[in-house]
Every structure is written in C-alpha cells, then in structure tokens.
Amino acid sequence: MPKYKLVKKTMTVSAALSEAQELSGLAGEIGEWRDKLQGTAFENTDRYRMVEEAADSLEDLASQAEEACADLDGLPQEVLALEVTVSLQEVRSRRQTASRAVRLSNVASTLRGAIDAISDWLDGDEERSQNMEKETAAAMVESHDSFLGSLENLSSALDEVEALELVSS
C-alpha cells in the first residue's frame, strides 16, 4: 500500500478544472471492472452491485464535470486565470501509483478549489454589475447564477461519489 504526503499546489482555475478529466479515467477503470464481472458468477453479488453503482456514479459525475467545464466559455479570461491553492495527496515513491480513492479525493479538492474561486469572483461580479445598465447587469447575474448552480450541483455530486464505499476504499 502506497504512503502519501500532503502537498500544496497552486494552479489557475482553468488548470484546476482541466483536472476533471481524471474523473473520466476513473469512470473508465471502474466501468471496465464492472464489464469484466458481467456474465460471471460474481454478477449477482453485493460486490458487483457496489462496482456497478460506483461506475454509474462516476460516469454521471464525469458527464456533469464535462458540462460544467463546457460552460466556462462564457466566463471572462480573468476568472480562468485566478489562482487557487489546494492540498493534494502525492505518493511518496515514484514506483507506486495513487489509489482510486486518493485520485478521486485529489480531483474533488481541485474542483472545489476552482468552484470556491469562481464563487468568490461571481460574488464580486454582482457588485460590479451594479454599475452597469439594469438589463445588461440582470442578464449577467442570471447567467453567472446558472453557472454557479451547475458548479454547486457538481460539488454535491462529488460528495455523493466520494461517499461510495468502493471508490473510497
């Protein structure tokens, strides 16, 4: 079992959000595991149901993350360039790889850091919008609220997936 060290990393919001691609990798790994168990004696076991639930949840989460990241096109470049600092677990030995649980935890921490930075910026953006014309400001706030809602849904989905026994063990 690998030993881990906690490190702080600073990255841009854009780089942090690109880490969401790791969710697709994790979903693919668990999905392959599920697929290998189909049609075997294990298909009717609790373990299979856990694998299936984890695969489905990770696939949904990866899809939500992809959609949220696609919505980034509407954000100003200054938001994508914001810096976030996150705490991540790294394997001490280069010969070992991080567990799925650690990889998921690192992605969750990174995405939450980006979500917090974007939320803070959007809160300040509402103040900036008070100096604009009412229609323009209302449209901007509505768009940003919608985007923030997507990010909050993504954060909730992360909580649910992290709670899955199979992924967290």
Side-chain angles (χ1 to χ4, degrees):
M1 178 171 280
K3 293 185 179 181
Y4 298 96
K5 60 183 175 182
L6 196 61
V7 295
K8 290 203 180 273
K9 291 208 174 185
T10 301
M11 61 188 80
T12 64
V13 165
S14 179
L17 291 171
S18 71
E19 292 292 315
Q21 293 173 357
E22 177 69 16
L23 293 172
S24 294
L26 286 167
E29 287 177 30
I30 300 287
E32 284 179 31
W33 186 9
R34 173 196 57 207
D35 295 344
K36 287 179 183 176
L37 292 176
Q38 285 178 341
T40 68
F42 296 105
E43 190 170 18
N44 297 316
T45 64
D46 289 338
R47 188 69 167 176
Y48 176 80
R49 283 186 281 287
M50 286 173 35
V51 171
E52 186 174 45
E53 180 184 358
D56 292 344
S57 295
L58 280 168
E59 288 165 358
D60 290 345
L61 181 61
S63 176
Q64 284 182 6
E66 191 176 300
E67 288 173 18
C69 290
D71 291 342
L72 291 176
D73 294 338
L75 289 177
Q77 196 61 33
E78 70 180 282
V79 177
L80 300 176
L82 292 172
E83 287 195 345
V84 295
T85 301
V86 294
S87 295
L88 304 174
Q89 296 179 67
E90 282 189 352
V91 179
R92 290 184 186 268
S93 169
R94 293 186 186 260
R95 294 181 189 168
Q96 296 177 314
T97 59
S99 69
R100 288 183 192 106
V102 168
R103 289 168 38 217
L104 178 62
S105 176
N106 285 346
V107 171
S109 295
T110 303
L111 289 176
R112 285 193 182 100
I115 289 167
D116 290 345
I118 292 169
S119 296
D120 291 346
W121 185 86
L122 290 175
D123 288 343
D125 200 41
E126 287 180 16
E127 294 169 14
R128 287 189 289 277
S129 70
Q130 292 174 356
N131 298 328
M132 298 179 176
E133 293 180 25
K134 286 187 180 183
E135 296 84 28
T136 305
M140 186 177 72
V141 169
E142 183 179 328
S143 169
H144 291 172
D145 285 348
S146 171
F147 181 71
L148 190 56
S150 295
L151 291 177
E152 288 170 354
N153 290 341
L154 178 60
S155 182
S156 296
L158 280 167
D159 291 338
E160 291 174 22
V161 171
E162 281 187 306
L164 291 175
E165 183 179 326
L166 181 69
V167 178
S168 61
S169 60

